[in-house]
Structure formats: structure tokens, C-alpha cells
Amino acid sequence: MAAGVAISGAAAALGSQTPPVNSMNEIAERYVKLVLALGQHDAAYVDAYYGRPEWKADAERQKRPLAEIGDTAAQTLKALAAVRETIDAGDTMVVLRYEYLRHQLQALQARVGMLSGKKLTFDEESAALYDAVAPRHSESDFRKPLDEIGALLPGPGPLMERYDAFRQQFVIPPARLSVVFDAAIAECRRRTLQYLALPKGERFTVEYVTNKSWSGYNWYQGNFRSLIQVNTDLPIYIDRAIDLACHEGYPGHHVYNALLEEHLVRRRGWIEMTVYPLFSPQSLIAEGSANYGIEVAFPGEERVAYERDVLFPAAGLDPAKADEYYRIQALTERLSYAGNEAARRYLDGEIDRKTAAAWLARFALMSPARAEQRTRFMDDYRSYVINYNLGKDLVKDFVEERAGTAGGARRWQLFGRLLTSPILPSSLRQP
Ligand SMILES: [Zn+2]
């Protein structure tokens, strides 16, 4: 494939100049092969791969045992440590590359351990796989936003039911889904292109699917293409159009993957980026940037204005209700960490599925059907749940601390820099 040709050319050019970089390239190759090998034991592990097809075929044929994968990962980490003193400490991108390979390899080792039967607590697991631990919250932390939502939605019955009844007015009719999504995608792309140069020929296709534990998914296919799937099992509310268009598309997952391919794989020959292991620190950056990208694309009141003027009419909803809807949405966002608490208790075995779903209904205002879907997501993806909200907060802090009071263009610039670098959570937190 085209990407493979570009890689070998760039790698050869780099190798002929500087042996240390060549060593890092060798470690990168071993890393890619290890991820592909581990993918044979864990169907969800390799989220994307667009490197040499024969390496994937080799992994399938060899089916290396877990213990052997673990041993090779340990040896590769040792080889990487030996490279440390040869790299130029002043070259930020090369230092980030080194840290990327180190953390990704350590997470791979942790995943080998989990698949071999090692039990980790929720926090141990998220530290090992995602390089981050979610803060703890108590029930009282969610009381204030719940009380504020309650005051806006008065009436008898539990708040979740009142909230659910209110939301029924904002369901996109299934027949209008694709029109609304297409409009949202076009607008997110237009806004992104004002500030970020995207590779020529980038594009994605959207498919509507059912029977999944997630609500949307971006499958990056290489060559600047993605397949985006939208799950229609449950009613889709109007806010999902911008959320999905930004999160899965522009400037979210599709843009992140396409920019990594263009800047790191094709220009620098960093083949480690041709594979994306889902249970790894890179996922915190991916989910965090995809969620924060919504605010970057639609700062302040711009989102409500666009929704009111364009998407509500396209969905056949009453535009006069857009302000109220988004006032309540902003409050429910403050409940997002309730989801982490439910997941932590459920996966640590402190509560069962029913209790976890009840907690989600009470503190995150999820309907019974959505709460049940969420517990199935927890079964499948476990501590991955922290990547959405903690990831967003870490990426947002990283960008906004550096942007200070500067305007949107500066935020886009910093955000674009993040999307074209191998930065991982622990490097995000450094000053
Ligand atoms: Zn995502």
C-alpha cells in the first residue's frame, strides 16, 4: 500500500544519517509487531492498522503465546532504555516519541498481564493502560447540578424520569437522521478547515448500525479515510449530531488519525503510528481531544446559535427551545464523573450491574435503557470510560493554560499541535 512505500523510504533516509534514530525505528517496528501479536488474543485491541499487510498476516499465522509477547515487550523496553541517552534531549518531538514508545509498551505489558489472568483494581488498571487515574467523587459532589436541573424541571416523580420526559421533545426523527448528521458534519469540517490544514483526499463514510455497546465509533482505515458508525439502538437526541460530527469526525478522531498519518508516518517515517492499540495511553489523548474538539469548534454561544438556526429546523424541532435544552445539557455534563464512580464500583466488584445501572439513573440521569447499555460498555471496555471525561479535562487544561486569554485562533493552533504529536497523558501534565 502507498503508506508502506512512504514509510520504507523515510526510514531508510533517516537510518543513513543517524544510527540512534535508526535504533528507535527498530524499536518502533518491534512495537508494531507486538501490538499485532497481542491482537490475536484480544479482538478489540487493534483498533486501526494501516502498515505493511504482511506483518498482520505474520501475526495471524504465528499466533505467538502471551508469555512470549510479554517477554519480547520486556526486552524491547530494555532496548528502548539503552537508546535514551543517545537521543537529542533538546528535540521535543523525539523525546515525546521516546516517551510514547515507553508508555505504549508498558501498557501492552499490562494488557498481556490482564489477559493472562492478572486482576487489577479499576484505578490500577487505568494507570497501567491509560497513564491516568480518575479523581474520586462522592454522591454529594453531584447534588448541586442535580438540584439545579431539578429546579428547571419541576414536577412529581424521580428527576431521571422528568429529565427523560423533557428530552423526548429533542429526539431526531429517524427519517431525518442522515440529513441532520450530514449538515453537522459539513459545518464541523468547515470550521476545522479554517484553522487546520488537512491532508488532501481525506474523507469518511457514515454507516448506521445496531446492537452495539457504544453509541458511535470511528474506524480509521489509513490513507486519510475513516469509517464512522452510528448506533441507532436508542433514540438519538439533537445534541448527538454535533457531538458525533466533531468527536468522530472534525476535529476529532478522523482528523487526529489523518494528521498523525500525514505528519508522523509519512513525513517522519514513524511506523509506530500505523497501529493503534485501543487499550493504551493513546486512547486518553484520542477520546480527550475528540471531546474537547467540540468546544474548540463551537466556542461559547456559537453552538447553541448554530443548533437553533440550522439543526433544530433540519430535525423538525422547535428552535425556541434550543436555549433551554443546552442550559440543561451543560448541567448534565457536570454529572459525567458519576459514570466513572459507577464503573469503578461495578468493576471492583462492590456493586452489581443492577445497582450500577440504578446509580447511573440517579446520579447521571440516564434512562434505564441507556444505563443498561452503559453497563455493557463497562463490561467490554472497563476503565476506558475515564478517557472521555478525564481525557477531555486534561486536554482542555493543556490547551487553555497555554492559550491564556488569547482567542480561538491560538486555541486551534495549540490543539493542532497536540493532534500532530505523539504526546501522552503524563507529558500533557508537565508544565
Ligand atoms: Zn471516541
Side-chain angles (χ1 to χ4, degrees), residues 17-33:
Q17 296 161 1
T18 46
V21 177
N22 188 42
S23 300
M24 199 107 94
N25 284 345
E26 283 164 13
I27 288 160
E29 181 176 329
R30 281 215 244 167
Y31 162 77
V32 173
K33 290 177 176 172

Side-chain angles (χ1 to χ4, degrees), residues 311-329:
L311 294 187
F312 272 60
L317 305 178
D318 180 1
K321 290 184 176 162
D323 282 311
E324 188 190 13
Y325 185 68
Y326 281 98
R327 202 174 319 130
I328 289 174
Q329 277 298 113

Side-chain angles (χ1 to χ4, degrees), residues 216-218 244 247-248 252-253 276 278 283 286-288 290-291 384 388:
Y217 213 113
N218 176 297
L244 276 165
H247 181 104
E248 310 293 347
H253 293 320
Y276 170 26
L278 191 67
S283 281
E287 301 300 354
N291 271 354
Y384 192 94
Y388 297 98

